[in-house]
Amino acid sequence: MRIAICVKEVPDPSAEKRIDEGTNRLVRAGENTLNPYDRHAIEAAVRIKEGPAPDTEITVVTVGPESAARSVDRALAQGGDRSVHVADEAAAGSDLLGTARILAAALRRDQYDLILLGQQAADAECYVMAGLVAELLELPCVTQAASIEVGDGSVTVKRQVETGYDTVRAQTPCVVSVSDAINDPRYPPLPAIMGAKKKPHEVLALADLGVDPATVGAAGAGTKVGGLSKPEGRGDTVLIEDDGTAAEKIIEFLVEKKVVA
Amino acid sequence: MAGIAVLCEIQGGQVAKGSLGVLEEAARLGAAIGEPVTAVVTGSGLDDAALAALGAHGAATVVAADDPRLGAGLAQPVADACAAAQEAGQYRYWLAGATIMTADAMAGLAARLGAGIVIDAVELVADGSDLVTRRSGLGDSVLAHCGFTTPVGVVVTRSNAVAPSEQSAGSAPV
């Protein structure tokens, strides 16, 4: 079985984030890391390889600047076998559809049985990439997978929806995004971290994929950010400083609001 | 391209409240930018009277796609139905309140149309004759004002970002 996992490098969730007011883009110059949601997709693929399909090859696919290679290494250390990294300055500023176009072009080069994504990106909180990529590849798509069972020419996915769980069977090849409830991703041991750099890395430009730069990047974006603003405050917010009487003040507030008697 | 289409999801046999809220917001925006609003409802065993009642929530027209495949909770048949509605109606904007199904369907539609897509919109604003979204970011600490460069723009609003009012009168042709 051939599994591709789309991963993204994102700013470290614990680092302070800011937006460049000149470009209206997220500043990515600080500490970055592998999107935490993608680690669940990698773990799901590794469990397939360790279980029902031991001949599985796991390919990590990403779009991002050269610095994203560090996150690719982390994904390989967690269990990926090889990587495809699309690094091209013309891709900078891609919106959702532009990124999906590049990923789809990279995924089209190989015949994958299963394409996995995390449920969302931790930076832009985008949760529609699976749907975009699947449509561009004309493949079935199942999102929010809470479990994946691999069958002969199909996968059976139990998915988390607003009203509970659905069970969906999709023919392979297909695209599946996994919920963060699907598993607990493993932490790679030191030998795996050291060995990641020795795994096959392929770095590609847009031209290698036949992607027209005019359809991606800032130039090809179908959306434009015209400005930024601060959200309005929530009104009657009460800030309680803990001077040793915070608990009493909170109880007084809750009693006043009739939340507790 | 003209008009605003709102994908309305059926939940428990009724149009979801989140969809009604977006429909009303679309009607407010449509009046401001001069675009009529069409409710696009997909499902299985749809009730014509309930569909016509969407007029009370701002729909000038209701387009219904009724097929057992549309009642299974899968997004791709819904994206197919929306693409067919787009082919017929040539809408300028598509809006939907976020659920797993509507977000996936709108992603499919955007990819098929080559349309810009904005997700997690918390406000919809008229800017002249254009629709501009306010998209929340960085842990809700900033709002990005996102518009479109493509002929069709697709917007998925944050779940329950716009609540419906208690409307009781009005109907729309189905």
Side-chain angles (χ1 to χ4, degrees), chain A residues 17-19 24 26 95-97 101 123-136 138-144 159-163 166 168 219-232 234, chain B residues 9 11 72-76 79-80 98-101 103-104 106-120 130 134-150 152 156-158:
Chain A
K17 301 174 198 65
R18 65 186 178 86
I19 291 178
N24 287 328
L26 185 64
D95 65 357
L96 297 176
L97 185 55
R101 283 174 172 146
D123 52 356
E125 292 162 19
C126 164
Y127 47 78
V128 293
M129 192 52 67
L132 290 164
V133 168
E135 186 64 35
L136 292 171
E138 298 183 4
L139 294 179
C141 179
V142 187
T143 57
Q144 286 292 326
R159 65 192 299 247
Q160 227 171 356
V161 295
E162 288 85 354
T163 51
D166 283 344
V168 179
T223 56
K224 60 180 177 186
V225 179
L228 302 168
S229 62
K230 293 275 183 193
E232 287 182 14
R234 291 175 185 266
Chain B
E9 185 177 21
Q11 287 178 347
L74 296 174
Q76 285 172 315
D80 290 341
T99 64
I100 291 170
M101 195 281 287
D104 291 347
M106 288 295 95
L109 180 69
R112 201 174 297 192
L113 300 177
I117 178 170
V118 173
I119 61 165
D120 218 22
D130 298 326
R134 301 278 189 266
R135 188 209 189 286
S136 182
L138 302 188
D140 288 346
S141 63
V142 66
L143 294 174
H145 305 187
C146 299
F148 298 97
T149 63
T150 45
V152 182
V156 181
T157 67
R158 179 175 288 185

Side-chain angles (χ1 to χ4, degrees), chain A residues 114-200:
Chain A
L114 182 59
I115 297 167
L116 295 177
L117 297 89
Q119 67 176 26
Q120 68 193 76
D123 52 356
E125 292 162 19
C126 164
Y127 47 78
V128 293
M129 192 52 67
L132 290 164
V133 168
E135 186 64 35
L136 292 171
L137 294 174
E138 298 183 4
L139 294 179
C141 179
V142 187
T143 57
Q144 286 292 326
S147 71
I148 303 172
E149 281 181 35
V150 175
D152 186 14
S154 70
V155 293
T156 302
V157 175
K158 185 179 172 187
R159 65 192 299 247
Q160 227 171 356
V161 295
E162 288 85 354
T163 51
Y165 290 92
D166 283 344
T167 300
V168 179
R169 193 173 69 207
Q171 288 185 325
T172 55
C174 64
V175 177
V176 176
S177 77
V178 306
S179 140
D180 60 355
I182 191 172
N183 55 41
D184 290 320
R186 69 193 67 189
Y187 286 95
L190 187 59
I193 294 170
M194 301 299 287
K197 288 189 185 303
K198 295 177 186 167
K199 293 182 177 178

Side-chain angles (χ1 to χ4, degrees), chain A:
Chain A
M1 186 170 206
R2 301 189 75 188
I3 300 179
I5 304 164
C6 300
V7 304
K8 184 180 186 187
E9 183 174 71
V10 299
D12 190 310
S14 62
E16 187 178 347
K17 301 174 198 65
R18 65 186 178 86
I19 291 178
D20 183 323
E21 293 185 6
T23 62
N24 287 328
R25 289 186 209 157
L26 185 64
V27 175
R28 297 177 185 276
E31 191 64 32
N32 294 318
T33 189
L34 176 64
N35 177 31
Y37 295 101
D38 297 341
R39 298 184 61 232
H40 296 276
I42 300 164
E43 182 66 31
V46 172
R47 290 188 189 190
I48 290 170
K49 184 172 182 173
E50 290 174 344
D55 292 335
T56 293
E57 181 191 57
I58 300 171
T59 302
V60 172
V61 180
T62 196
V63 179
E66 286 179 17
S67 62
R70 288 173 301 188
S71 291
V72 169
D73 282 345
R74 289 191 183 104
L76 291 173
Q78 203 190 316
D81 295 308
R82 69 184 188 100
S83 69
V84 175
H85 179 178
V86 184
D88 194 314
E89 286 187 12
S94 290
D95 65 357
L96 297 176
L97 185 55
T99 303
R101 283 174 172 146
I102 300 169
L103 282 173
L107 293 163
R108 240 181 240 121
R109 295 172 71 237
D110 294 294
Q111 297 290 316
Y112 296 107
D113 302 296
L114 182 59
I115 297 167
L116 295 177
L117 297 89
Q119 67 176 26
Q120 68 193 76
D123 52 356
E125 292 162 19
C126 164
Y127 47 78
V128 293
M129 192 52 67
L132 290 164
V133 168
E135 186 64 35
L136 292 171
L137 294 174
E138 298 183 4
L139 294 179
C141 179
V142 187
T143 57
Q144 286 292 326
S147 71
I148 303 172
E149 281 181 35
V150 175
D152 186 14
S154 70
V155 293
T156 302
V157 175
K158 185 179 172 187
R159 65 192 299 247
Q160 227 171 356
V161 295
E162 288 85 354
T163 51
Y165 290 92
D166 283 344
T167 300
V168 179
R169 193 173 69 207
Q171 288 185 325
T172 55
C174 64
V175 177
V176 176
S177 77
V178 306
S179 140
D180 60 355
I182 191 172
N183 55 41
D184 290 320
R186 69 193 67 189
Y187 286 95
L190 187 59
I193 294 170
M194 301 299 287
K197 288 189 185 303
K198 295 177 186 167
K199 293 182 177 178
H201 293 268
E202 196 174 8
V203 180
L204 302 171
L206 295 178
D208 298 322
L209 300 172
V211 174
D212 179 356
T215 64
V216 299
T223 56
K224 60 180 177 186
V225 179
L228 302 168
S229 62
K230 293 275 183 193
E232 287 182 14
R234 291 175 185 266
D236 56 347
T237 303
V238 177
L239 183 66
I240 296 175
E241 298 280 356
D242 188 11
D243 57 0
T245 62
E248 288 86 347
K249 286 176 180 170
I250 290 170
I251 291 169
E252 279 173 26
F253 178 80
L254 294 175
V255 170
E256 183 190 320
K257 296 292 180 190
K258 298 191 170 116
V259 177
V260 295

